[in-house]
Amino acid sequence: MNPELIIVNPQIEKHIALIQINRPKELNALNRQVMTEIRDALKAFDEDENVRVIILTGGEKVFAAGADIKQMADATAISMLSIDQFSTWDQIKKTKKPIIAVVSGFALGGGCELAMTCDMIVASETAQFGQPEINIGTMPGAGGTQRLTRAVGKALAMEMVLTGKFISAQEAHKVGLVNKVVPVEVLIKEAITLAKSIAQKSPIAVQLAKESVNKAFESSLDEGLQFERKNFYLTFASEDQKEGMAAFIEKRKAEFKGK
Ligand code: CAA
């Protein structure tokens, strides 16, 4: 990993890994190298059995100000197509373990899209979300028109995408884009508390449940219900399900092993 692009910590707390975007001078603009590093770190953590939850964050003043405009400015449609810039982003969606985006300051363009591609967002009171690509003669290209619309509804998504207006952390919370808003001083602590509460559960059940919630965005209700039902049945192949139910009956805390 290149620490001038991202900082990684496989164990910020037991079972919790951290990825921090680290290009403060460029406001954490997401150039191809940063996205490749994020992809590789996510892949490594997804394969590491000690990791159960991943936190993805930026700095206090900026989560990420979007794709790197300077890197893109001279691109042609064909160079974009052949580099397929956004293909590295597919790994975020492919990651089986939950990813919590921890956002302070600007989450704009690709930065907002990156946060939305994660499974949950914890924001500081200073966070601002926006899709300002329209101001530079283009439009969102890494999920903004799709994920924002699903998260906040057509009216607000259309306004944000067509006018480039930002919304505050409080508004983002009100419309369901973020899970919680906390003072910046306790942001990471709160995110770790949330991560810990997931890390204590069965990693197998967590993975299947995450997949099932995500399926809701990609299928009809009937297909989603069938998918959920099969994943529910599949949990019964795990030792963790036996342990979880035995612990409930014996009135003790369950010890989940991810088996
Ligand atoms: N790409 C490249 N460099 C960026 C950048 C970006 N997205 N955002 C900021 N920077 C750079 C600036 O060029 C500046 O560099 P220099 O010091 O070398 O001049 C430095 O970061 C600091 O930026 P500002 O001086 O502009 O800081 P500010 O506090 O006045 O403003 C801001 C902050 C409102 C975030 C402003 O920087 C801004 O509007 N940034 C661009 C936001 C944007 O349009 N994002 C969308 C990008 S396109 C995209 O993301 C496509 C997609 O769907 C994936």
Side-chain angles (χ1 to χ4, degrees), residues 14-233:
K14 192 173 176 208
H15 297 316
I16 301 166
L18 178 101
I19 302 173
Q20 181 175 13
I21 309 161
N22 189 35
R23 290 185 83 205
K25 280 200 203 106
E26 294 81 10
L27 304 191
N28 287 344
L30 302 167
N31 64 13
R32 283 195 294 279
Q33 295 84 335
V34 172
M35 288 313 300
T36 303
E37 295 275 330
I38 292 176
R39 178 197 65 193
D40 293 347
L42 285 174
K43 206 160 182 296
F45 289 150
D46 218 23
E47 285 163 9
D48 180 343
E49 62 180 30
N50 290 316
V51 173
R52 294 189 180 178
V53 181
I54 302 162
I55 289 176
L56 174 61
T57 192
E60 200 177 299
K61 297 215 170 76
V62 64
F63 174 73
D68 192 319
I69 298 169
K70 292 165 191 165
Q71 194 174 60
M72 281 187 306
D74 294 328
T76 65
I78 301 306
S79 69
M80 284 293 222
L81 189 67
S82 62
I83 295 166
D84 197 7
Q85 164 132 352
F86 296 145
S87 60
T88 43
W89 292 61
D90 296 344
Q91 179 59 41
I92 309 166
K93 190 167 169 257
K94 275 192 217 145
T95 303
K96 298 187 205 82
K97 293 172 185 170
I99 311 173
I100 302 174
V102 176
V103 176
S104 190
F106 296 115
L108 304 177
C112 186
E113 291 167 313
L114 181 60
M116 290 191 295
T117 311
C118 297
D119 299 301
M120 279 175 271
I121 304 177
V122 179
S124 83
E125 288 164 345
T126 64
Q128 294 192 65
F129 297 84
Q131 297 290 160
E133 292 90 342
I134 204 79
N135 296 330
I136 53 170
T138 184
M139 57 172 280
T145 62
Q146 304 302 301
R147 291 200 173 92
L148 187 65
T149 308
R150 282 166 167 80
V152 308
K154 178 179 167 184
L156 181 57
M158 195 66 93
E159 187 180 342
M160 288 173 71
V161 169
L162 298 191
T163 70
K165 98 165 189 170
F166 302 168
I167 58 169
S168 66
Q170 290 72 16
E171 189 172 359
H173 187 240
K174 202 170 77 193
V175 296
L177 183 63
V178 310
N179 292 75
K180 58 164 82 180
V181 180
V182 299
V184 67
E185 308 79 57
V186 294
L187 181 62
I188 282 286
K189 192 166 150 266
E190 287 287 335
I192 289 174
T193 302
L194 175 63
K196 270 185 179 166
S197 69
I198 300 166
Q200 286 164 7
K201 315 289 192 258
S202 159
I204 297 165
V206 166
Q207 179 188 324
L208 293 171
K210 168 179 159 158
E211 263 178 35
S212 301
V213 172
N214 281 334
K215 193 76 177 172
F217 293 102
E218 285 162 14
S219 60
S220 67
L221 179 60
D222 215 39
E223 278 165 1
L225 290 171
Q226 290 300 329
F227 186 84
E228 175 196 74
R229 187 177 299 173
K230 290 201 174 120
N231 275 355
F232 172 74
Y233 295 155

